[in-house]
Amino acid sequence: MYLLEKNNLEQVLEKWSQIAELYTPQRDAGQVMLLPYDQSTFTMDYINFAFPVKEYVFSAKEALFNWTDKNGKLEVFAPEKPLKDRIYFGVRACDAYGMEYMDHFYLDGYRDNIYEAKRRAATIVAVNCVVAGENCFCSSMGTGPFVKSGFDLLLTPSGDHYLIDAGTDRGRELVDVCRDLISLSDGDFSTQKDIIEEAALDTFHKKIKAGNIAKVLEESFEDPLWDDISTDCISCTGCTTLCPTCTCFNVVEELKSSADGYGGCRVRYWDSCQSDSFTRNAGKHNPRSRRDRVRYRIYDKFKYIEDRFGYKGCSGCGRCIDVCPASINVVEIINKLTVKRNPDHLNEIDAPWKREVI
Amino acid sequence: MDQRTHSEKCEHIYLPKVAIIQEVKEETKDIKRFVMQYEDPTHHHDEKPDGQFYEITVFGVGEIAISIPYSPSMKDRFEFCIKRAGKVTRAIHSMKAGDKVGLRGPFGKGFPYEAFLGRDVLIMGSGVGLAPVRTMILRILENRKDFGRVEIIGSAVRYEDLIYKEDLISWNGLEGVRVHYSLSKPTNIVTAQVGYANDLLPDMGLDWGNTSAIICASPRRIKAMAKDLLKLGMKGTDIYTSLETHMRCGIGKCGHCKVGSKYMCIDGPVFNYEEMLQLPPEF
């Protein structure tokens, strides 16, 4: 355990910005975004970033390979790897979980070398939440508000200090370059951290009431609720775009011509199971209807991923609720289905949620 | 991250290897057979011979998943049967000998050859669906003595729509092998049953309790035939099919072919009938 005075944080960030590209919480057009460190707009006053850190390791659009055809000589090249080390500072528990999720997803089984190159260059400095946002529900998913894993270094705000845990050697290296500012402590801060976490847990408005979400969904596949929600959904794909565990992509070909021939690049870009074209095949047949699509996202996040991989598919960040223009709310959906399947448990639904459904 | 273990080692998983089209043969009005070879022939020896499909790239146009129709004993070239359906298949259909494409693979879980040993075999392929089952037919016929009777059904609207017409005729002459045709329209080229392929089953006289089957057709037809096979005494775990959905990456990452908790590209595309029934009823 290490200690850092809050007043000295910016000096620490200055030092880190000299050893790597440093991304920090920055005020940007009314929101806080994870952007290159700039002292003038840097802030620690944020619930979470509008976009998860995902976009830096799995880009909205990135090259899979390049090719050239010069007078019939066809050659294929791997994309150049981005090699500069980057520190992402201020990552919240939900997004640290999202990063850990993507590590498993992209690196287990067939290894996704495109993801791996960017991930290897990334260092995660997480900061524990002391207050929940309006749509946060990480406490229901077991992924927050305190970071459990997926970090190199972890800061917990406590009075005028940050308590610091190092999760990896990379995290310890970050401490080592600031030993004049960050001090080692052999004190036991576990009780202090528990108290801070308890207080943070008390600030949640959104809670999922189902003990076993997958079981509720298992019994709700034909529920008429899916028809209702699918009439609301406008397939804008905002939910999947902002989701820290959404990993789906499509590929397109880009062409370039030059004096001695032509060539191109295959790029992948974020795709969404909420768009009609996602499962439509070459013969124009689409096995998944609008209702099926809306239902699929919820089942994937709360059942299919866990069935398959044994880890959670939702980090509880709440961005899909924040962004939805049709007010589709996963917490509300699961709670409604829970009540339907178990009418006796109605009384367990607590006040904040009850207000919202009325 | 460093501590993760990886069973499938490949440095650049999305990078296709260049292959040259050697020969193009028209099978039907919208299906062509393409013989291809890697530009660097040593690549043929580096690849494991199992899997169910390759990802074929037409540079500048796109990439599609195409099933393996040849026997694993053919190690020096590829032979794919491709139906013209969308943008990429249209582009391939306009290509000729000498043109270059890209290949990644082989990917996917193929038919479990060992589970068929010593048993009677029924294989049904509908239209271009004969391509994914041909790899098993060839392998079984190469090792004829290891199997009981072999019944093959080629199904299509018209006789002209069948692929591998010459294969079907030559297979029919082999000992213990019968080829049946099930067509919607009559023909005078071969003896064909006109109508419902299932009607062929009762007279086959196979030892149904000791039969393994492969059905490659639309999900609706797979289900209809599997139901009749169960009535004849087959087990759901002995009936196999290849579920071919919209695939992109082939390696379980892009998400397009996911049905419930299964990825058709890495958990399949071959599933037995019981596994197929456990998938969410979307497909």
Side-chain angles (χ1 to χ4, degrees):
Chain A
M1 175 70 69
Y2 306 91
L3 291 174
L4 164 68
E5 273 183 48
K6 281 185 178 173
N7 286 337
N8 291 337
L9 176 63
E10 291 198 25
Q11 286 184 64
V12 166
L13 295 179
E14 284 295 338
K15 290 208 173 185
W16 288 346
S17 69
Q18 287 158 24
I19 58 164
E21 292 180 343
L22 176 65
Y23 281 60
T24 55
Q26 302 289 142
R27 284 189 301 275
D28 180 69
Q31 340 184 71
V32 174
M33 302 282 279
L34 183 60
L35 292 171
Y37 176 57
D38 173 351
Q39 201 191 357
S40 66
T41 51
F42 170 75
T43 179
M44 285 302 282
D45 181 19
Y46 68 105
I47 297 289
N48 204 355
F49 309 124
F51 281 64
V53 61
K54 163 179 112 171
E55 63 173 326
Y56 294 118
V57 285
F58 169 51
S59 307
K61 180 184 167 189
E62 59 196 353
L64 294 181
F65 66 86
N66 298 295
W67 59 277
T68 55
D69 187 344
K70 291 176 182 166
N71 305 316
K73 182 158 176 50
L74 211 149
E75 285 188 277
V76 185
F77 309 93
E80 287 156 34
K81 288 178 182 173
L83 289 173
K84 278 201 171 165
D85 281 344
R86 275 194 187 173
I87 300 167
Y88 299 106
F89 173 88
V91 174
R92 297 303 197 187
C94 49
D95 294 346
Y97 177 77
M99 197 71 143
E100 202 186 3
Y101 174 91
M102 289 209 299
D103 286 351
H104 280 293
F105 182 81
Y106 279 125
L107 302 177
D108 292 351
Y110 287 99
R111 180 193 286 254
D112 188 306
N113 56 290
I114 309 289
Y115 174 82
E116 186 182 20
K118 290 184 176 173
R119 181 64 179 95
R120 273 189 190 284
T123 301
I124 301 293
V125 181
V127 178
N128 277 330
C129 291
V130 292
V131 61
E134 190 194 339
N135 291 320
C136 294
F137 60 99
C138 62
S139 66
S140 298
M141 300 312 298
T143 50
F146 270 29
V147 184
K148 306 287 189 299
S149 54
F151 62 90
D152 294 290
L153 206 62
L154 171 63
L155 276 63
T156 307
S158 172
D160 50 8
H161 278 80
Y162 290 108
L163 313 176
I164 301 183
D165 294 284
T168 63
D169 286 342
R170 211 178 252 193
R172 276 180 281 278
E173 283 164 25
L174 288 186
V175 170
D176 286 341
V177 297
C178 304
R179 288 314 285 262
D180 51 332
L181 298 160
I182 299 175
S183 58
L184 186 68
S185 167
D186 51 11
D188 179 10
F189 293 92
S190 55
T191 318
Q192 194 173 330
K193 283 177 77 175
D194 286 348
I195 292 167
I196 301 167
E197 187 175 10
E198 282 300 320
L201 282 165
D202 281 343
T203 65
F204 279 82
H205 306 284
K206 294 265 189 308
K207 282 176 189 167
I208 291 181
K209 289 302 166 184
N212 187 339
I213 302 171
K215 187 167 181 298
V216 170
L217 291 179
E218 221 161 83
E219 295 164 358
S220 305
F221 199 75
E222 297 297 341
D223 197 284
L225 183 74
W226 305 118
D227 293 298
D228 299 346
I229 299 164
S230 66
T231 5
D232 296 340
C233 176
I234 60 163
S235 303
C236 73
T237 72
C239 50
T240 53
T241 298
L242 292 183
C243 178
T245 64
C246 270
T247 47
C248 291
F249 59 86
N250 204 350
V251 287
V252 288
E253 312 293 322
E254 292 184 348
L255 288 168
K256 296 166 203 156
S257 58
S258 62
D260 57 345
Y262 61 101
C265 179
R266 176 172 294 158
V267 297
R268 70 170 164 199
Y269 61 92
W270 293 349
D271 201 357
S272 172
C273 60
Q274 299 305 289
S275 79
D276 174 57
S277 61
F278 193 74
T279 47
R280 192 173 57 217
N281 65 24
K284 305 287 179 218
H285 172 66
N286 195 346
R288 206 173 272 158
S289 68
R290 174 186 280 261
R291 178 195 69 156
D292 295 351
R293 284 199 291 281
V294 169
R295 179 176 60 194
Y296 175 79
R297 178 176 71 96
I298 314 285
Y299 273 65
D300 198 37
K301 295 297 170 192
F302 295 96
K303 178 168 165 45
Y304 298 154
I305 287 172
E306 217 167 318
D307 283 353
R308 181 185 179 79
F309 299 110
Y311 46 82
K312 289 215 158 47
C314 171
S315 73
C317 76
R319 288 188 182 91
C320 59
I321 308 173
D322 291 337
V323 76
C324 184
S327 301
I328 294 173
N329 178 327
V330 287
V331 175
E332 207 173 274
I333 290 168
I334 293 164
N335 285 345
K336 274 186 186 174
L337 293 172
T338 306
V339 171
K340 275 195 193 184
R341 304 284 94 82
N342 309 288
D344 306 345
H345 295 177
L346 186 62
N347 294 336
E348 286 181 27
I349 308 299
D350 69 359
W353 180 77
K354 220 171 188 175
R355 272 202 305 278
E356 284 161 46
V357 277
I358 295 166
Chain B
M1 190 167 49
D2 299 338
Q3 75 277 13
R4 303 220 187 290
T5 55
H6 303 279
S7 49
E8 290 89 351
K9 288 228 163 56
C10 180
E11 204 182 337
H12 294 290
I13 195 72
Y14 296 107
L15 211 61
K17 292 180 207 151
V18 176
I20 303 173
I21 296 175
Q22 309 287 341
E23 195 191 325
V24 183
K25 180 179 179 283
E26 205 153 302
E27 287 278 342
T28 75
K29 65 177 178 9
D30 58 0
I31 300 171
K32 283 185 179 178
R33 194 197 300 208
F34 295 83
V35 179
M36 305 173 181
Q37 213 162 19
Y38 278 132
E39 189 171 46
D40 175 355
T42 61
H43 289 328
H44 282 282
H45 307 295
D46 302 340
E47 268 166 23
K48 49 176 187 174
D50 55 344
Q52 185 66 10
F53 65 93
Y54 270 85
E55 290 280 353
I56 304 182
T57 288
V58 179
F59 289 96
V61 181
E63 187 176 49
I64 45 163
I66 295 293
S67 57
I68 296 172
Y70 48 85
S71 164
S73 64
M74 191 180 88
K75 291 187 167 103
D76 59 344
R77 61 189 192 279
F78 303 105
E79 221 187 274
F80 298 107
C81 244
I82 302 174
K83 182 175 176 173
R84 191 175 64 238
K87 189 176 65 174
V88 183
T89 51
R90 267 201 306 278
I92 287 189
H93 269 239
S94 71
M95 296 177 99
K96 53 189 188 312
D99 286 346
K100 290 175 182 175
V101 294
L103 292 176
R104 291 191 301 127
F107 297 128
K109 198 179 81 191
F111 294 103
Y113 177 79
E114 276 71 26
F116 283 63
L117 290 171
R119 300 168 67 86
D120 284 352
V121 176
L122 166 67
I123 297 181
M124 189 268 214
S126 172
V128 78
L130 260 178
V133 301
R134 184 170 176 264
T135 178
M136 270 293 273
I137 296 175
L138 293 177
R139 213 172 157 192
I140 287 168
L141 297 183
E142 283 166 12
N143 301 282
R144 185 66 200 88
K145 60 176 177 17
D146 298 338
F147 300 87
R149 291 180 43 203
V150 177
E151 303 278 328
I152 298 164
I153 306 175
S155 167
V157 176
R158 282 171 298 267
Y159 180 72
E160 292 68 34
D161 300 325
L162 281 171
I163 55 172
Y164 302 121
K165 293 182 196 69
E166 290 132 43
D167 285 343
L168 291 167
I169 288 166
S170 69
W171 293 335
N172 194 34
L174 301 172
E175 198 193 331
V177 182
R178 279 200 300 181
V179 174
H180 310 261
Y181 298 90
S182 173
L183 307 170
S184 311
K185 301 270 162 62
T187 177
N188 49 23
I189 302 168
V190 293
T191 311
Q193 179 247 20
V194 179
Y196 199 41
N198 292 29
D199 294 342
L200 289 165
L201 302 176
D203 296 334
M204 281 183 180
L206 292 176
D207 176 5
W208 294 109
N210 187 37
T211 296
S212 291
I214 297 175
I215 313 167
C216 212
S218 67
R220 193 173 51 85
R221 291 192 66 192
I222 293 168
K223 284 179 188 165
M225 183 163 267
K227 274 182 192 155
D228 282 1
L229 290 175
L230 294 178
K231 277 184 214 151
L232 287 166
M234 282 194 68
K235 291 208 291 279
T237 47
D238 291 331
I239 304 170
Y240 295 88
T241 185
S242 183
L243 298 177
E244 304 191 354
T245 55
H246 180 85
M247 290 180 194
R248 278 272 183 265
C249 71
I251 55 170
K253 305 296 184 198
C254 81
H256 286 86
C257 71
K258 195 175 183 187
V259 180
S261 59
K262 302 284 185 206
Y263 291 84
M264 298 298 109
C265 67
I266 51 173
D267 301 319
V270 169
F271 292 94
N272 70 43
Y273 185 60
E274 275 190 14
E275 292 167 332
M276 179 182 168
L277 290 183
Q278 279 161 21
L279 296 171
E282 290 180 338
F283 286 76

